[in-house]
């Protein structure tokens, strides 16, 4: 095989790649590429390409599907209604308008998320290692430092790849800085959040 077209569920690590001596190109049909051993590919002259805009609006819409489910307690309301219980007791949620959304990562998906948030009347803060000032002016959001975003946001939405730099981007220190009752939506990779720190924050009611 000279070329492989793969997806994120197929792990192309060294033991797999060593069985493909003729390989010249890996084209993954995804934005993420953490399922591919990039170091091995670089050493053996294998080109790797991805789809940077894959599902950008789709994932952003999913963010708000999840957020509205939480903010309006839709899952609890639906479950209660299916059981024949129509009481609204304990189902009061909160409006998104005037809430502050913190977007970590302003690539294509992050920018789509911001567009939708602005439509809901949310204030938007963003953090990115490569700020897009033109997008900030066009969409009406502010870039801030990560610590500032974490401490001010009512909702935090993650849109970063899985890399050594983003591993456990949110851990104990970051959770301690967050508002009480903060909502976190992670449609990126699981390892950008320290799971043990998250479990503790959930148990304490912080998140």
């Amino acid at each position: 095989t000279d070329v492989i077209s793969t997806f994120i569920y197929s792990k192309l690590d060294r033991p797999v790649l060593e069985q493909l001596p003729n390989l010249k190109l890996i084209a993954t049909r995804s934005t993420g590429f953490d399922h591919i051993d990039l170091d091995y590919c670089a050493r053996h002259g294998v080109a790797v390409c991805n789809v940077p805009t894959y599902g950008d609006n789709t994932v952003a819409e999913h963010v708000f599907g999840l957020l509205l489910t939480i903010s309006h307690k839709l899952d609890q309301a639906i479950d209660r209604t299916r059981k024949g219980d129509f009481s609204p007791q304990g189902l009061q949620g909160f409006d998104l308008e005037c809430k502050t959304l913190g977007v970590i990562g302003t690539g294509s998906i992050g920018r789509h998320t911001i567009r939708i948030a602005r439509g809901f009347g949310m204030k938007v803060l963003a953090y990115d290692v490569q700020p897009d000032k033109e997008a900030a002016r066009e969409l009406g959001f502010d870039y801030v430092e990560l610590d500032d975003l974490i401490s001010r946001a009512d909702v935090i939405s993650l849109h970063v790849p899985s890399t050594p730099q983003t591993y456990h981007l949110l851990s104990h220190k970051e959770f301690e800085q967050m508002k009480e009752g903060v909502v976190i939506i992670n449609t990126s990779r699981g390892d950008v959040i320290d799971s043990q720190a998250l479990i503790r924050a959930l148990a304490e009611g912080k998140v």
Side-chain angles (χ1 to χ4, degrees):
T1 298
D2 298 300
V3 178
I4 288 179
S5 176
T6 186
F7 197 59
I8 56 175
Y9 307 116
S10 300
K11 193 165 184 64
L12 297 180
D13 54 13
R14 180 172 177 172
V16 173
L17 294 173
E18 285 178 338
Q19 299 178 58
L20 302 164
N22 298 321
L23 189 62
K24 298 178 182 64
L25 171 67
I26 299 172
T28 181
R29 304 183 307 277
S30 61
T31 300
F33 43 80
D34 48 302
H35 54 297
I36 301 168
D37 188 334
L38 296 181
D39 290 336
Y40 179 93
C41 291
R43 288 195 305 271
H44 292 83
V46 179
V48 178
C49 57
N50 67 337
V51 187
T53 58
Y54 172 83
D56 45 10
N57 66 294
T58 308
V59 175
E61 290 176 23
H62 186 55
V63 167
F64 279 85
L66 296 171
L67 180 52
L68 288 167
T69 298
I70 292 172
S71 66
H72 290 69
K73 300 190 177 181
L74 294 178
D75 54 336
Q76 298 171 48
I78 291 168
D79 184 58
R80 188 179 293 184
T81 302
R82 283 176 174 158
K83 294 174 181 175
D85 179 358
F86 299 96
S87 168
Q89 189 70 31
L91 293 180
Q92 183 175 349
F94 61 88
D95 292 340
L96 299 184
E97 187 174 16
C98 295
K99 290 290 188 292
T100 299
L101 173 68
V103 175
I104 301 177
T106 56
S108 186
I109 295 173
R111 292 195 301 274
H112 270 281
T113 300
I114 291 168
R115 287 188 185 95
I116 297 171
R118 297 294 292 145
F120 275 99
M122 300 183 80
K123 301 172 184 175
V124 180
L125 302 175
Y127 170 79
D128 198 291
V129 292
Q130 294 181 316
D132 185 338
K133 298 297 178 63
E134 185 176 339
R137 285 193 296 271
E138 177 190 339
L139 299 176
F141 68 91
D142 295 318
Y143 278 107
V144 295
E145 294 300 319
L146 184 59
D147 287 349
D148 193 17
L149 181 151
I150 286 169
S151 65
R152 292 169 58 188
D154 300 300
V155 180
I156 295 173
S157 188
L158 292 156
H159 302 284
V160 294
S162 175
T163 67
Q165 291 73 34
T166 61
Y167 181 76
H168 287 183
L169 187 66
L170 300 185
S171 192
H172 292 288
K173 178 176 76 73
E174 288 73 29
F175 285 119
E176 288 174 358
Q177 296 173 336
M178 294 177 191
K179 289 183 176 182
E180 293 293 325
V182 65
V183 175
I184 298 175
I185 307 289
N186 181 19
T187 53
S188 55
R189 293 290 191 265
D191 65 7
V192 302
I193 299 180
D194 180 340
S195 296
Q196 293 302 313
L198 176 60
I199 289 169
R200 177 178 170 181
L202 287 166
E204 293 175 349
K206 183 82 169 191
V207 177

